[in-house]
Amino acid sequence: VTAVDSVEGRQSSEAADAETECISQSSEDDVEEAFGGAAPSGTATKRASVPFPAELASASSKLERARRCGDEELEASALLQLAEIKFASARYRTALSHAKLAWGLFRDVSSGARAVRLMVQVHLELERPSEALQTAQKHVAQYTALHNPKAQGTMEVMLAQVHLAMGRPREALRVAKAAGETFKRVNDKVGRASAHRAMAEANLKSGGATCTKRALADAEESLVLLRKAGDRKEEASLLLLISKIHTARHEHEDGYAFAKGAVELCQSIDDKKGLAAALLELTSVLLGLDEEPDAVAQVAQEAVQVFQHLGD
């Protein structure tokens, strides 16, 4: 009980720092974007178009409804949705503000961990590795003290990602293996998949024939688990990682097959951010295959157009 009270107290205090910044953005900026750049109140248009108008409209409506009825859990969920949309739209500082406020409102520890995970991802995108490391380490300790394996494992995977971003593949591998054991205790297939993916990325970063072979095995294990869980968005992202591993092993035909599979899957589920990354990887693979310059340029141009649409 003491640990829970301590964490909740910190959440309320830290989230209050984000309240002023976040409240106007979520009530004005997001509503404007949700209606294609023009809020019903007649506020001046800020953008002619946005990447995810339907998603923004849904999340903004959910946020307004939550605030009208005073439902903090629903408000936290809506804010986290908005944060994820902003993150996918490369509006990282706004995403961070929303995620901080969502974290302060969540009472469910696992949901709060999702908000913290997004904070760490934003810090990495903004090239703030020290902030990312501090946030991840602090919350691994907190969730371990709370005896919440799912939240603990989520943060361990993010800590592994931070170590990777800081060029520490061995430390990343150690933490990722710990996350795998944490998720295994509660039979969390999606969590185990994320841990195996982090192991694969760490081994790929280490390089060499032995490590890339291990990377491929971990990535394939992750793919099996994700397909059992039916998580197609993460599956598309993993196909890209497998493509990169094959390319690193000079298996360019296999790299092409997985990159093309990722493109097709992203198109089928309308994952624009994933599609941009998949097209970029496909461009790289085509260069490795010495394809005609016009064919490579066409795919590269498609990637640029999607990134432009996302504002990234």
Side-chain angles (χ1 to χ4, degrees), residues 4-193:
V4 172
D5 290 342
S6 177
V7 170
E8 288 186 353
R10 279 193 292 271
Q11 284 185 214
S12 298
S13 176
E14 293 177 24
D17 295 336
E19 177 79 31
T20 301
E21 177 185 0
C22 186
I23 194 80
S24 61
Q25 289 171 330
S26 59
S27 60
E28 296 176 7
D29 183 59
D30 289 324
V31 174
E32 284 191 18
E33 289 189 355
F35 288 90
S41 61
T43 307
T45 300
K46 292 183 181 180
R47 292 173 182 80
S49 63
V50 292
F52 307 100
E55 290 86 346
L56 273 170
S58 176
S60 296
S61 175
K62 182 177 177 180
L63 178 62
E64 290 179 355
R65 186 170 68 254
R67 285 176 171 168
R68 279 198 307 270
C69 65
D71 187 333
E72 289 193 347
E73 279 294 312
L74 185 63
E75 182 178 350
S77 176
L79 284 165
L80 185 54
Q81 279 183 253
L82 286 169
E84 290 168 345
I85 294 167
K86 296 299 183 183
F87 183 79
S89 305
R91 295 189 59 194
Y92 300 122
R93 288 177 176 81
T94 307
L96 183 60
S97 295
H98 288 317
K100 283 180 178 178
L101 192 52
W103 177 69
L105 292 172
F106 274 126
R107 289 296 170 262
D108 175 68
V109 175
S110 295
S111 297
R114 288 173 51 218
V116 179
R117 177 178 63 189
L118 187 58
M119 291 182 218
V120 175
Q121 290 172 325
V122 170
H123 283 312
L124 291 178
E125 288 290 343
L126 293 175
E127 298 182 355
R128 299 171 177 172
S130 296
E131 288 90 337
L133 182 64
Q134 181 181 14
T135 301
Q137 287 178 328
K138 179 175 73 173
H139 286 90
V140 166
Q142 286 183 1
Y143 294 139
T144 301
L146 289 172
H147 304 290
N148 189 307
K150 191 166 185 177
Q152 177 189 336
T154 298
M155 282 301 98
E156 286 171 334
V157 168
M158 284 314 305
L159 180 56
Q161 294 294 337
V162 174
H163 283 306
L164 277 174
M166 298 179 78
R168 304 169 178 172
R170 289 185 180 179
E171 189 64 18
L173 184 59
R174 182 188 65 79
V175 177
K177 285 181 177 179
E181 291 301 314
T182 300
F183 284 123
K184 191 174 182 179
R185 291 203 307 270
V186 291
N187 195 29
D188 185 332
K189 289 184 175 62
V190 174
R192 286 174 57 204

Side-chain angles (χ1 to χ4, degrees), residues 243 246-247 250-259 285 288-289 291:
S243 173
H246 279 299
T247 299
H250 306 290
E251 298 163 351
H252 298 293
E253 292 291 345
D254 288 330
Y256 172 79
F258 279 96
V285 172
L289 287 170
E291 289 291 321

Side-chain angles (χ1 to χ4, degrees), residues 164-230:
L164 277 174
M166 298 179 78
R168 304 169 178 172
R170 289 185 180 179
E171 189 64 18
L173 184 59
R174 182 188 65 79
V175 177
K177 285 181 177 179
E181 291 301 314
T182 300
F183 284 123
K184 191 174 182 179
R185 291 203 307 270
V186 291
N187 195 29
D188 185 332
K189 289 184 175 62
V190 174
R192 286 174 57 204
S194 68
H196 277 287
R197 179 194 175 115
M199 292 180 220
E201 290 174 326
N203 277 310
L204 176 60
K205 190 85 169 179
S206 294
T210 300
C211 287
T212 54
K213 184 178 180 180
R214 289 173 182 164
L216 188 57
D218 279 320
E220 288 173 344
E221 177 65 20
S222 181
L223 184 61
V224 169
L225 290 166
L226 282 177
R227 284 177 170 168
K228 286 180 179 178

